[in-house]
Amino acid sequence: MERVTPVSPSPAGIALVCDYEGRILEILDDGLGLAGRFPVGRLFGSCLDSGSMAKSLSFLLEIRARQATFEWELRIAAEDGPGQTLSFDGSMADGQRMILLGAASSREVPGYLDSLARIRNQQAGWVCLALKEMALQETAAGRFQHDLYNELTRLNNELANAQRELAQQNFELERLNRLKNQFLGMAAHDLRKPVGLVLNYAEILTEDAAGRLTPDQLRLLETIGTAADRMGRLIDDFLDVSLIEAGHLSLDIQAVDLAELAGAAQTLVGRAAARRRIRMETDLDQAARRLRVDGPKMEQVLTNLLSNAVEHSPAEAAVVMGSRLEGDRVRVWIADRGKGIPLEQQRRLFQPFATGGADKPGGERSIGLGLAIARRIVEAHGGRMFVESAPDRGSVFGFTLPAPCAAEAAKIALQE
């Protein structure tokens, strides 16, 4: 009778079933003759030498976290001398049990899986299918991560290049902005003196030669004076913008009376208002008159707002400047009876060179610097500009400022 020799799986390995804590429940296959090293009921880590015990804990934790892990080099404990090192793969089987598969090297694990598949054992087949599925998922995940890494690297390189280009463009824009501010400052400074002379001479001629000039000649002189005055204010705006954008806006904070600032602003705008028979009225709350501000710069803000209100108001209308104390802030406003400003244009009003808004009855044109300068001055005081307007209902421009404390308010009152 011919003797049949059993064929062991080749390449050989060992397959273990462990519970969720890593305790050995069953040895499914032992082609390496190591079953005695892995007694049922023992913890898997306790079957390894001292150098691999801690590593085995990480091995089991990664199986729980990722459902599968591959190619872990672990050394089996031996009574005498160094133990045998195997390459272990592992996977979760049904959420409670783990399958651990060891072979002499990581290259032999796939062959050992195929060998297990030929064993007519339901559990062995189940082990093989579970590990193969996990291995395929791991491979696909590896490819995905590799492709993702390459794509992220490409995007990161593009972002770095874009950031470098943006930094270069920002540097160039800052350089051009500095040159623009220098040009505005120099041009405005050189223009201020001749424009001032034109304005002064026009006023002298108007006063001294009024009886010897015809009405048409007087109107021409008045036009010269008006144009020179408007050009002088434009030059001042250019100088202010160049200083503000260069970061040279400095404040001299003092205790001031809002009524005095309002009176000074009305005086400066008085000629334009009288020419169109516009009344300038005040409605200042006594509790909201005490301020701590840079007087000349806040007078500039009020003059700008008052001038805009006069220019946008119809002839013989009234422009009202008012103030109220609202909590810890003072609210100051100037109301006109002009055509009003649509909401979509209001958002641009406080930006430099913004020229949106209602048309002026007198046909005057603006380059859009006054409100931008006023906003920067108010914000430097810790305040906020605002506008309330609607078509055919007029406009209210104003600002809020921190109110001085009671002691400061009393000090200002004593100075009156």
Side-chain angles (χ1 to χ4, degrees):
M1 183 176 180
E2 185 178 359
R3 182 179 178 183
V4 179
T5 304
V7 179
S8 61
S10 181
I14 185 169
L16 308 174
V17 179
C18 298
D19 64 13
Y20 192 78
E21 302 299 328
R23 193 176 303 277
I24 300 172
L25 301 177
E26 183 180 355
I27 299 176
L28 294 179
D29 182 72
D30 181 22
L32 295 175
L34 297 174
R37 306 284 182 89
F38 295 97
V40 174
R42 289 271 300 275
L43 290 172
F44 173 72
S46 68
C47 302
L48 307 177
D49 71 0
S50 58
S52 292
M53 282 186 180
K55 189 176 180 181
S56 69
L57 179 60
S58 299
F59 171 62
L60 297 176
L61 290 175
E62 185 161 340
I63 294 173
R64 296 181 196 171
R66 301 179 57 189
Q67 300 301 303
T69 187
F70 303 89
E71 299 183 9
W72 284 71
E73 299 289 334
L74 300 174
R75 185 181 295 275
I76 302 171
E79 294 181 359
D80 51 347
Q84 183 178 356
T85 299
L86 298 180
S87 177
F88 279 90
D89 291 356
S91 73
M92 292 299 298
D94 54 7
Q96 296 297 324
R97 292 182 295 173
M98 292 183 283
I99 308 301
L100 309 183
L101 187 68
S105 68
S106 60
R107 293 190 302 272
E108 295 185 13
V109 174
Y112 182 46
L113 277 172
D114 291 335
S115 298
L116 283 178
R118 292 194 296 268
I119 299 175
R120 295 188 177 183
N121 180 297
Q122 183 178 3
Q123 283 190 312
W126 164 65
V127 170
C128 177
L129 290 175
L131 281 173
K132 278 194 169 182
E133 181 180 352
M134 292 295 179
L136 289 173
Q137 292 176 358
E138 183 78 6
T139 302
R143 285 197 300 268
F144 172 76
Q145 291 176 356
H146 179 72
D147 294 341
L148 181 61
Y149 174 78
N150 289 338
E151 180 65 14
L152 289 175
T153 301
R154 183 186 67 80
L155 293 175
N156 184 65
N157 291 336
E158 291 182 359
L159 179 60
N161 292 334
Q163 288 175 332
R164 282 194 294 270
E165 293 178 2
L166 182 61
Q168 293 173 353
Q169 293 174 359
N170 284 338
F171 178 79
E172 181 65 14
L173 286 174
E174 290 177 0
R175 186 183 70 83
L176 293 174
N177 190 54
R178 287 195 298 271
L179 290 176
K180 181 261 293 181
N181 290 333
Q182 291 174 3
F183 171 77
L184 286 178
M186 290 186 297
H189 185 270
D190 291 341
L191 288 172
R192 173 182 276 177
K193 185 174 181 179
V195 169
L197 289 174
V198 172
L199 179 60
N200 290 334
Y201 289 161
E203 291 178 348
I204 291 173
L205 286 173
T206 301
E207 294 174 1
D208 294 348
R212 289 172 289 174
L213 298 177
T214 66
D216 288 340
Q217 290 172 333
L218 286 174
R219 280 194 295 271
L220 288 175
L221 278 177
E222 185 179 350
T223 301
I224 292 172
T226 301
D229 180 64
R230 187 175 299 123
M231 187 175 293
R233 287 189 281 117
L234 178 59
I235 290 171
D236 289 339
D237 286 345
F238 278 136
L239 284 172
D240 288 335
V241 167
S242 63
L243 289 174
I244 289 172
E245 293 196 358
H248 296 155
L249 176 62
S250 59
L251 302 178
D252 181 16
I253 303 298
Q254 300 289 337
V256 299
D257 184 353
L258 179 59
E260 294 181 2
L261 298 181
Q266 289 174 337
T267 300
L268 292 173
V269 184
R271 177 186 296 178
R275 200 164 47 239
R276 303 187 49 234
R277 299 182 302 281
I278 291 176
R279 303 185 311 279
M280 292 186 292
E281 303 173 357
T282 56
D283 180 21
L284 302 180
D285 185 353
Q286 187 68 24
R289 287 179 51 183
R290 282 68 168 155
L291 298 177
R292 284 192 58 82
V293 295
D294 184 310
K297 287 188 171 57
M298 197 52 60
E299 179 185 315
Q300 180 182 356
V301 173
L302 293 174
T303 301
N304 179 275
L305 297 181
L306 191 58
S307 176
N308 285 346
V310 168
E311 291 176 354
H312 284 89
S313 295
E316 301 183 358
V319 170
V320 181
M321 179 187 300
S323 68
R324 291 289 183 274
L325 182 62
E326 298 180 348
D328 60 349
R329 302 187 73 80
V330 173
R331 181 182 179 91
V332 181
W333 72 89
I334 296 175
D336 64 53
R337 292 295 179 265
K339 293 182 178 180
I341 306 169
L343 181 61
E344 61 273 12
Q345 294 181 0
Q346 295 178 24
R347 302 186 181 95
R348 304 193 304 266
L349 290 177
F350 298 104
Q351 300 301 319
F353 303 103
T355 57
D359 296 333
K360 300 177 182 179
E364 301 90 344
R365 298 186 62 185
S366 171
I367 63 169
L369 288 178
L371 289 177
I373 294 170
R375 177 180 67 87
R376 295 293 293 271
I377 293 175
V378 168
E379 290 178 351
H381 283 82
R384 184 182 66 85
M385 295 287 296
F386 66 84
V387 56
E388 299 168 356
S389 183
D392 301 322
R393 295 187 179 180
S395 302
V396 178
F397 282 83
F399 53 88
T400 60
L401 292 174
C405 66
E408 292 175 334
K411 182 178 178 181
I412 299 171
L414 290 175
Q415 295 174 353
E416 295 181 354

